[in-house]
Amino acid sequence: MYSEKRLSDGLVDVSQRPVQPPESVVQFTVLGTLGVLRDGVDYTPTAPKLLQLLALLVMRPGKMVHVDSITQELWPSGPPRTVRTTLHTYVYHLRRCFEQHSLGVGADEMLVTKAPGYVFRIDPSQVDVHRFGQLQQEAQDLLRQDQHAAAAVRFRAALDLWSGPPLANVHCGPILLPYTMELLEQRRNALHMLIEAEITSGNHRELIGELRSLTAGNPLDEALHGQLMRALGRSGRRSDAMAVYRNLRKRLSEELGVEPCDELQLLHHDLISEGDHF
């Protein structure tokens, strides 16, 4: 999935960015709008229920998706009397889409009926979520080897796969909604770990503008504000770092009635004491 070479001490040289799958292979996007892409052409169906069904299948590539799960997602208030016929119609339309555009070896072989559900026979590597998870894992492995700059490259490559909120064009029901929330939490964790890797690598000055933008968009995110304070402090801008703390403390008090977390209070104390624990 990417180019790399092994160094003599067993560490990985990750100076080269990961290689995306060939465009000729059908790719499925989840980290943004749900998409079916090949050779730069978008073949995504537009009917809302078809999008929901496709999202459920893409969520579990190569694994059986139970009919009960599909029914719960598509009709959370209760299925229609013709649920089996309606579901068979949706599956037929998906297969027709794949067949018309030659998106698989065979529509029936790609979307297989397997009691008590359906199996979408695609390789996980065709889905951007899989590549996102791979890159995150590689980055975390590099962090354990103290290769912070290389880990930052991997984290950025993972975050570059995102184009917006997950499944942005899908009406998400009781199964897909928790899935999108989990993905957003994974993205948030990757972002925080990226910033930590960049700070540890000594790139704190270059991060200040990015962190100011991130904290403006996430005004109550204490972790991001703490990272901005550390980046400013390490850049010799302690007064600016303390101003970030004061503004956050005021906002937390006015909107939530709470004080900053212990970690931020300790960081603020270090700034006052001109400590170097940033």
Side-chain angles (χ1 to χ4, degrees), residues 67-271:
V67 168
D68 289 348
S69 297
I70 299 174
T71 303
Q72 183 183 359
E73 171 63 30
L74 269 59
W75 298 283
S77 300
R81 287 182 301 173
T82 58
V83 59
R84 290 187 178 276
T85 302
T86 303
L87 182 54
H88 290 163
T89 301
Y90 292 155
V91 170
Y92 165 78
H93 283 299
L94 268 187
R95 285 175 175 154
R96 182 183 173 98
C97 175
F98 302 144
E99 185 175 11
Q100 282 183 329
H101 302 298
S102 302
L103 299 178
V105 176
D108 291 335
E109 296 178 25
M110 188 175 185
L111 178 49
V112 180
T113 301
K114 183 177 180 180
Y118 298 92
V119 177
F120 197 33
R121 288 185 173 170
I122 60 172
D123 192 281
S125 64
Q126 294 175 250
V127 187
D128 57 359
V129 170
H130 175 79
R131 298 196 296 277
F132 176 70
Q134 262 194 334
L135 288 163
Q136 278 201 97
Q137 185 59 58
E138 291 164 11
Q140 292 169 13
D141 291 343
L142 288 164
L143 286 180
R144 284 188 282 271
Q145 298 176 25
D146 292 327
Q147 295 192 72
H148 299 281
V153 172
R154 278 291 186 265
F155 279 126
R156 284 207 182 274
L159 293 168
D160 284 347
L161 294 173
W162 287 73
S163 61
L167 300 178
N169 57 336
V170 180
H171 176 75
C172 295
I175 294 178
L176 290 177
L177 185 59
Y179 176 64
T180 62
M181 294 174 66
E182 178 187 352
L183 289 175
L184 286 171
E185 190 62 28
Q186 290 182 29
R187 183 185 185 279
R188 181 177 181 271
N189 290 339
L191 178 61
H192 284 301
M193 295 179 76
L194 162 65
I195 294 169
E196 285 299 316
E198 293 278 25
I199 290 175
T200 304
S201 300
N203 296 328
H204 42 276
R205 287 182 175 84
E206 293 82 357
L207 279 175
I208 291 174
E210 182 178 0
L211 280 167
R212 283 203 182 280
S213 176
L214 288 169
T215 52
N218 301 272
L220 299 178
D221 191 318
E222 295 178 77
L224 282 176
H225 281 78
Q227 289 174 322
L228 175 57
M229 289 169 62
R230 289 170 56 211
L232 288 166
R234 290 192 175 197
S235 301
R237 298 171 58 178
R238 295 176 188 267
S239 61
D240 289 341
M242 293 170 69
V244 169
Y245 179 83
R246 289 194 300 271
N247 292 335
L248 175 63
R249 183 183 183 189
K250 180 180 178 182
R251 190 152 196 162
L252 288 172
S253 176
E254 292 176 350
E255 297 189 21
L256 301 179
V258 299
E259 287 289 313
C261 65
D262 292 344
E263 184 178 349
L264 274 186
Q265 292 187 40
L266 179 60
L267 179 56
H268 181 245
H269 180 270
D270 287 340
L271 286 166

